């Protein structure tokens, strides 16, 4: 168990300072594997979420895979209802999909994330998920 009391199977990692400008709240990043398909554990403190963003790619690349490993969080694609993520939830985000993900308001949240390799793979960071929009989501334990 980490010093913060949040029990998870992968390391918490370091504060995600390199991408802090794209998050509301504190996140942590623990690289798990490098190479052609880098895999990381991303941990979000309660209420932390990333900005809306789009992963781009061609030739089969640019899909993002999210595997919830601990805590409770949200995933939402633009124009769709939010999806509650609990340990064991797997989300495939097709390349070109505007989306965000993060912790529920009163729960830590961790997911393993990777991007499928291909051509022209990039990430486009967009606007934050506002407190107004985020505040309308059910709290931990309530499902969308």
């Amino acid at each position: 168990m980490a010093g913060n009391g949040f029990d998870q199977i992968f390391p918490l990692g370091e504060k995600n300072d390199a991408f802090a400008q794209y998050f509301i709240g504190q996140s942590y990043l623990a690289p798990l594997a490098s190479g052609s398909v880098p895999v990381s554990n991303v941990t979000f403190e309660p209420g932390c979420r990333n900005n809306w963003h789009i992963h781009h790619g061609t030739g089969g690349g640019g899909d993002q895979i999210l595997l919830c490993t601990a805590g409770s969080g949200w995933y939402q694609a633009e124009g769709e209802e939010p999806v509650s993520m609990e340990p064991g939830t797997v989300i495939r985000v097709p390349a070109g999909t505007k989306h965000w993900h993060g912790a529920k308001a009163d729960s830590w949240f961790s997911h393993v994330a990777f991007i499928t390799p291909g051509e022209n793979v990039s990430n486009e960071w967009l606007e934050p998920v506002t407190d107004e929009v985020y505040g309308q989501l059910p709290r931990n334990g309530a499902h969308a």
Side-chain angles (χ1 to χ4, degrees):
M1 183 177 308
N4 57 18
F6 181 56
D7 192 17
Q8 61 176 323
I9 60 174
F10 294 111
L12 177 68
E14 301 295 324
K15 287 185 176 183
N16 192 7
D17 293 337
F19 292 92
Q21 65 196 13
Y22 306 118
F23 286 75
I24 293 175
Q26 184 64 60
S27 67
Y28 301 84
L29 186 64
L32 301 175
S34 58
S36 61
V37 184
V39 178
S40 294
N41 183 51
V42 185
T43 301
F44 301 76
E45 289 186 354
C48 177
R49 68 266 189 193
N50 54 29
N51 289 5
W52 287 98
H53 58 286
I54 301 170
H55 301 283
H56 299 282
T58 57
D63 291 358
Q64 184 177 45
I65 310 299
L66 305 172
L67 301 98
C68 177
T69 57
S72 187
W74 293 111
Y75 161 79
Q76 186 174 21
E78 184 177 46
E80 297 181 13
E81 291 297 314
V83 175
S84 178
M85 294 184 71
E86 307 294 332
T89 302
V90 178
I91 302 282
R92 176 183 160 263
V93 185
T97 302
K98 183 178 178 180
H99 70 285
W100 69 271
H101 33 103
K104 290 186 179 173
D106 53 4
S107 177
W108 284 76
F109 171 60
S110 282
H111 63 53
V112 169
F114 63 92
I115 305 292
T116 57
E119 299 171 11
N120 305 310
V121 173
S122 65
N123 191 46
E124 178 183 2
W125 289 104
L126 303 166
E127 72 276 7
V129 177
T130 65
D131 289 342
E132 179 180 68
V133 168
Y134 183 79
Q136 294 175 8
L137 296 168
R139 296 187 72 80
N140 187 37
H143 298 282

